């Protein structure tokens, strides 16, 4: 079985998150996807949502997709919420399944700044989601890692439980969480960027309004 793992702050979760992750899911012929909201960053310079609210919005966004599981493991875990710890936990839980950690090209470009980054491939494959006409400058260390572990087809990820890096072309959705929060605060149009249930929840909770 091939399991995708898609993490993020999701503050709030929007069409960009959903459509790119589902595109990766289809391209990789995966069996299921675990969506993992990350722990709350310690410092905020905007009125962000709480961990509970971010979890609920993520659940609402994927509610109609039975193959998607929203996992609160990082929110329940004490201490720094490193991706390596999440992958170690999931590998222990599913020792015989293939795990694929999804991340954006901009995040992959700085992978060598992550905690335990050289160990990630011991626990999972990496699928790097790239947007059309947008290429991040990978660091030399990341470039070397890619060349060493590069896969050219999704088939290769089904043959091993971990260890490959595959790039994926994913849709370009012109939205970011920062832009979305700003639109809400400014009472601009924003509901089209999120799932209807998420839009209703944001409105009901009064999230991201200027203080």
């Amino acid at each position: 079985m091939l399991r995708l793992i898609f993490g993020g702050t999701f503050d709030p979760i929007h069409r960009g998150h959903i459509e790119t992750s589902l595109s990766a899911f289809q391209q990789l012929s995966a069996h299921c996807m675990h969506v993992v909201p990350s722990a709350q960053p310690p410092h905020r310079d905007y009125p962000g949502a709480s961990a509970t609210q971010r979890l609920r919005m993520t659940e609402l966004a994927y509610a109609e997709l039975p193959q998607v599981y929203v996992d609160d493991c990082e929110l329940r875990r004490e201490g720094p919420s490193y991706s390596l710890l999440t992958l170690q936990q999931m590998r222990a839980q599913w020792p015989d399944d293939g795990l694929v950690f999804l991340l954006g090209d901009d995040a992959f470009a700085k992978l060598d700044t992550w905690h335990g980054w050289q160990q990630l491939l011991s626990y999972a494959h990496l699928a790097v989601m790239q947007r059309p006409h947008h290429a991040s400058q990978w660091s030399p260390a990341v470039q070397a890692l890619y060349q060493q572990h590069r896969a050219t087809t999704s088939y290769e990820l089904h043959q091993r439980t971990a260890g490959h890096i595959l790039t994926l072309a994913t849709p370009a959705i012109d939205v970011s969480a920062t832009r979305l929060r700003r639109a809400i605060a400014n009472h601009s149009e924003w509901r089209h960027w999120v799932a209807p249930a998420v839009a209703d929840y944001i409105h009901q909770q009064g999230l991201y309004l200027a203080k």
Side-chain angles (χ1 to χ4, degrees):
M1 177 177 286
L2 194 68
R3 299 175 181 271
L4 304 194
I5 303 161
F6 179 46
T9 308
F10 305 135
D11 193 15
I13 191 163
H14 53 67
R15 284 184 52 216
H17 296 125
I18 298 167
E19 295 186 25
T20 55
S21 64
L22 293 181
S23 173
F25 184 88
Q26 294 169 350
Q27 290 183 62
L28 296 175
S29 299
H31 298 88
C32 62
M33 179 163 62
H34 300 263
V35 181
V36 185
S38 61
Q40 191 85 351
H43 302 294
R44 294 283 189 172
D45 57 1
Y46 56 82
S50 69
T52 299
Q53 290 168 328
R54 292 186 294 112
L55 177 67
R56 184 57 184 152
M57 286 188 285
T58 306
E59 291 172 340
L60 291 170
Y62 290 97
E64 297 181 4
L65 299 167
Q67 68 272 42
V68 178
Y69 305 98
V70 177
D71 194 324
D72 66 350
C73 64
E74 293 195 1
L75 301 180
R76 289 184 283 106
R77 190 167 59 223
E78 295 183 0
S81 192
Y82 296 124
S83 296
L84 177 61
L85 298 179
T86 299
L87 295 181
Q88 289 173 333
Q89 178 180 334
M90 292 190 171
R91 172 54 62 205
Q93 191 168 356
W94 297 291
D96 300 322
D97 291 352
L99 302 180
V100 182
F101 185 62
L102 298 179
L103 68 166
D105 187 56
D106 52 347
F108 182 70
K110 304 173 185 175
L111 190 71
D112 54 332
T113 66
W114 290 27
H115 172 77
W117 67 280
Q118 293 171 311
Q119 303 176 52
L120 295 173
L121 287 165
S122 298
Y123 300 96
H125 303 295
L126 302 182
V128 183
M129 299 181 291
Q130 298 181 313
R131 292 174 291 169
H133 314 299
H134 178 87
S136 299
Q137 185 66 45
W138 297 353
S139 71
V142 170
Q143 182 67 45
L145 184 77
Y146 174 69
Q147 293 300 332
Q148 183 180 356
H149 296 274
R150 179 183 180 184
T152 56
T153 67
S154 61
Y155 175 79
E156 296 172 71
L157 275 61
H158 285 264
Q159 301 308 300
R160 294 178 55 189
T161 59
H164 288 309
I165 303 174
L166 180 69
T167 57
L168 298 173
T170 53
I173 309 299
D174 187 23
V175 62
S176 69
T178 300
R179 181 178 174 187
L180 180 49
R181 292 191 301 267
R182 187 178 301 120
I184 296 170
N186 293 336
H187 302 283
S188 302
E189 291 294 326
W190 60 271
R191 294 179 71 99
H192 59 288
W193 282 329
V194 300
V198 174
D200 290 342
Y201 184 84
I202 289 172
H203 177 72
Q204 291 163 5
Q205 297 288 311
L207 295 175
Y208 312 116
L209 297 175
K211 301 298 183 180

